[in-house]
Amino acid sequence: MSKKIASARISAESSALLKELNNSLPFDKALYREDIRGSLAHAEMLKEQGIITPEDYAAIARGLAQVLEEIESGAFSLEGDDEDIHMAVERRLTEIVGEAGKRLHTARSRNDQVAVDFRMYVLRHDLEIAALLRELIASLLEKAKAHTETLLPGMTHLQHAQPTNLGYHLTAYAAMFRRDLERFLDSYERNNLSPLGCAALAGTPHPIDRQRTARELGFREPTLNCLDSVSDRDFALEILFNIATMMMHISRLSEELILWSTSEFGFVRLSDKHATGSSIMPQKKNPDIPELLRGKTGRAYGNLMALLTVMKGLPLAYNKDTQEDKEGVFDSVRTAELSLRVLREMIDEMAVNTEAMEAACMKGHLTATDLADWLVREAGLPFRDAYHIVGNVVNRAEELGKDISRMTPEELRSVDERITAEACALLDNRVSMNARISEGGTASARTREQIERLVSWLEALKV
Ligand code: ARG
């Protein structure tokens, strides 16, 4: 067994159990690209500042390129005994280039190294997820545009409430996902700062240039304070929160698609690509995909709670507890990106049963509020009195076994003679849906306006 390269004081070989607990290589190997990129930028800066010679830099750069290639080809397997990705890359580099490799860690610690690697990973995925959200929103708006005239019963408490249209409903989700997308971009902007050069906790006496490495790695500038920077994991917490909230939205949409694809609703039919059968009931077509999306939301919440809990008692600066930051983030990022891709495909390919939606509007007296509004507006009644009269109208409709929108002027007048034919016309579901012309309302014209606003926002977006 080779002596630990990072330990001058520990002579005994680590116990197998310590390695199992301590080694992060099994998961932080996912950061190999970031680690090599960060190391290259650091080495180049060391050369520019005269801290290492141009010859040593050349050897390091050549060696790192070879390590990268060996990892990608599988020639250097990251399954070994190294403690983490940083030690693995440095060890292999030194095997390849000798002495020069041992100079790479000048003015650097694994504390700033892991902080910069992980931050680059998270920032990259902030943008990747934003781009996938953009695609999903575009798909939702496309569907919404096609259905601004498709009547849909709007619900509260999952009970029929007022007529809306499918385009309006889908636009509500597009608005939610817009907030999500903006959260990822906000997080990207806020956290786009480089911790490289903070070293262990306090900076370094070497004449380094943090501005240079920050620029080289695509950061806006270096972080302010080294003590904070090596222990800050807010960027990771933010992506976990952003993903958890986005998954909550995905889960709500999934729940509706599950309900809508039941025989009770029959509003949509998911493509056979996105449904599975039952092993025993030959007639079944199950909405496994939206169920899984709803289920995966649980793990996204779990990952957020786990890291919040890891961080809560940590004194400054770096503590090994922080190594627990990665697996949850990797898991949430994988879950988020897969969920977005699947959801978009499902939305694109689902079939909408507009007749079933419109037929459902004939149940539940969706236009009752319109009659009350009319009595207030045209007959000058106080709203509460109008409300009670309409209650009686609904009772009468129930006795007649029909929906309020199907009542004749005579039937309406038999409940209250102030109700005229003009009022009767307002009880039509489409008229009611189009009557809600207040800003943000359900009228087809207002729905189209909302869609247009979201489309222009999407077009101006740079992700
Ligand atoms: N594997 C470690 C992590 O993920 C790298 C930093 C180790 N630093 C240290 N001082 N032991 O956090």
Side-chain angles (χ1 to χ4, degrees):
M1 266 302 138
S2 59
K3 188 167 172 334
K4 298 175 189 177
I5 68 165
S7 177
R9 290 208 50 226
I10 300 171
S11 49
E13 185 55 34
S14 304
S15 93
L17 285 175
L18 174 128
K19 285 184 191 165
E20 193 172 341
L21 180 69
N22 186 48
N23 288 13
S24 54
L25 185 62
F27 50 89
D28 66 16
K29 62 184 177 192
L31 298 175
Y32 75 88
R33 282 185 225 95
E34 284 81 5
D35 197 69
I36 291 172
R37 198 169 155 220
S39 292
L40 259 175
H42 180 68
E44 196 179 6
M45 180 278 294
L46 292 178
K47 175 202 63 170
E48 290 299 315
Q49 297 298 106
I51 301 169
I52 61 171
T53 63
E55 293 71 34
D56 282 339
Y57 166 68
I60 290 170
R62 176 176 49 82
L64 286 172
Q66 185 175 331
V67 176
L68 178 64
E69 192 213 290
E70 287 182 5
I71 293 174
E72 304 213 303
S73 70
F76 174 32
S77 120
L78 293 173
E79 308 299 321
D81 219 17
D82 299 290
E83 198 180 316
D84 55 29
I85 186 62
H86 324 295
M87 304 307 286
V89 169
E90 190 184 325
R91 173 179 66 77
R92 184 71 196 118
L93 170 72
T94 306
E95 280 169 11
I96 297 168
V97 305
E99 281 297 301
K102 294 200 263 172
R103 298 194 190 273
L104 172 61
H105 214 52
T106 314
R108 184 176 80 168
S109 149
R110 275 186 299 162
N111 298 349
D112 61 335
Q113 199 178 348
V114 70
V116 76
D117 291 1
F118 194 32
R119 207 183 266 242
M120 285 195 282
Y121 170 90
V122 166
L123 293 176
R124 177 155 62 83
H125 287 282
D126 279 331
L127 296 184
E128 173 68 21
I129 295 173
L132 289 169
L133 272 165
R134 179 204 172 106
E135 305 283 287
L136 172 65
I137 294 169
S139 281
L140 282 167
L141 293 175
E142 201 54 43
K143 265 251 160 7
K145 240 187 260 172
H147 288 288
T148 55
E149 311 278 347
T150 304
L151 287 175
L152 177 73
M155 308 207 181
T156 63
H157 313 270
L158 205 58
Q159 304 285 329
H160 284 209
Q162 290 174 350
T164 65
N165 67 72
L166 176 61
Y168 187 65
H169 200 98
L170 296 174
T171 305
Y173 281 103
M176 277 182 224
F177 290 124
R178 174 192 174 152
R179 291 195 293 278
D180 289 329
L181 195 161
E182 287 176 335
R183 259 189 288 275
F184 285 100
L185 295 186
D186 286 351
S187 293
Y188 178 85
E189 285 305 320
R190 185 170 27 262
N191 295 302
N192 190 10
L193 304 169
S194 170
L196 189 58
C198 284
L201 73 163
T204 170
H206 295 285
I208 62 169
D209 181 353
R210 293 187 61 209
Q211 298 285 342
R212 184 191 168 92
T213 48
R215 228 179 307 117
E216 180 64 29
L217 295 173
F219 291 100
R220 198 167 61 238
E221 57 181 338
T223 54
L224 179 87
N225 171 286
C226 295
L227 194 59
D228 173 35
S229 309
V230 288
S231 71
D232 171 24
R233 291 297 179 272
D234 293 1
F235 60 94
L237 287 165
E238 284 188 36
I239 200 169
L240 289 173
F241 173 80
N242 296 347
I243 290 173
T245 305
M246 180 192 83
M247 288 304 295
M248 177 268 289
H249 293 150
I250 289 179
S251 183
R252 292 183 66 180
L253 177 52
S254 298
E255 168 65 13
E256 298 214 279
L257 293 177
I258 292 164
L259 278 174
W260 286 6
S261 59
T262 58
S263 33
E264 284 74 13
F265 279 81
F267 289 178
V268 295
R269 200 166 38 75
L270 300 180
S271 146
D272 281 356
K273 274 203 219 159
H274 302 121
T276 56
S278 153
S279 61
I280 176 170
M281 295 168 281
Q283 83 287 11
K284 290 289 296 277
K285 192 171 144 184
N286 293 328
D288 290 29
I289 296 293
E291 286 171 353
L292 281 166
L293 296 181
R294 191 176 57 183
K296 286 190 181 295
T297 305
R299 72 161 69 202
Y301 291 4
N303 291 332
L304 170 62
M305 281 318 295
L307 186 56
L308 280 170
T309 311
V310 164
M311 296 306 294
K312 73 178 272 293
L314 301 186
L316 286 170
Y318 179 85
N319 299 269
K320 196 60 174 269
D321 316 44
T322 314
Q323 182 166 284
E324 288 294 309
D325 58 2
K326 289 171 219 41
E327 287 162 290
V329 169
F330 294 159
D331 181 67
S332 279
V333 163
R334 199 180 322 110
T335 302
E337 294 179 358
L338 180 60
S339 300
L340 286 167
R341 289 196 168 95
V342 170
L343 180 59
R344 182 193 178 198
E345 200 177 272
M346 198 165 62
I347 299 284
D348 281 346
E349 298 193 19
M350 76 185 182
V352 174
N353 185 346
T354 55
E355 291 84 47
M357 290 182 179
E358 304 212 350
C361 289
M362 286 308 196
K363 287 183 224 143
H365 315 289
L366 296 179
T367 52
T369 320
D370 296 75
L371 182 56
D373 287 337
W374 183 86
L375 287 166
V376 168
R377 212 171 49 238
E378 304 298 327
L381 265 65
F383 180 78
R384 202 43 75 202
D385 293 345
Y387 173 93
H388 285 295
I389 292 169
V390 177
N392 294 333
V393 172
V394 169
N395 289 337
R396 182 72 194 125
E398 293 277 313
E399 282 162 21
L400 293 168
K402 52 167 76 167
D403 187 74
I404 196 174
S405 60
R406 289 277 166 85
M407 285 175 82
T408 63
E410 296 67 43
E411 286 165 352
L412 287 165
R413 232 184 343 262
S414 75
V415 181
D416 193 296
E417 78 238 351
R418 282 168 289 193
I419 307 175
T420 66
E422 181 203 19
C424 187
L426 298 182
L427 299 187
D428 176 73
N429 283 309
R430 187 170 301 280
V431 171
S432 162
M433 181 271 283
N434 277 318
R436 289 184 166 65
I437 49 160
S438 55
E439 186 171 348
T442 191
S444 297
R446 280 298 196 182
T447 302
R448 281 193 290 274
E449 179 185 286
Q450 293 157 39
I451 295 171
E452 274 154 30
R453 282 173 61 180
L454 284 169
V455 167
S456 335
W457 164 76
L458 210 58
E459 278 165 2
L461 201 65
K462 288 179 199 64
V463 280

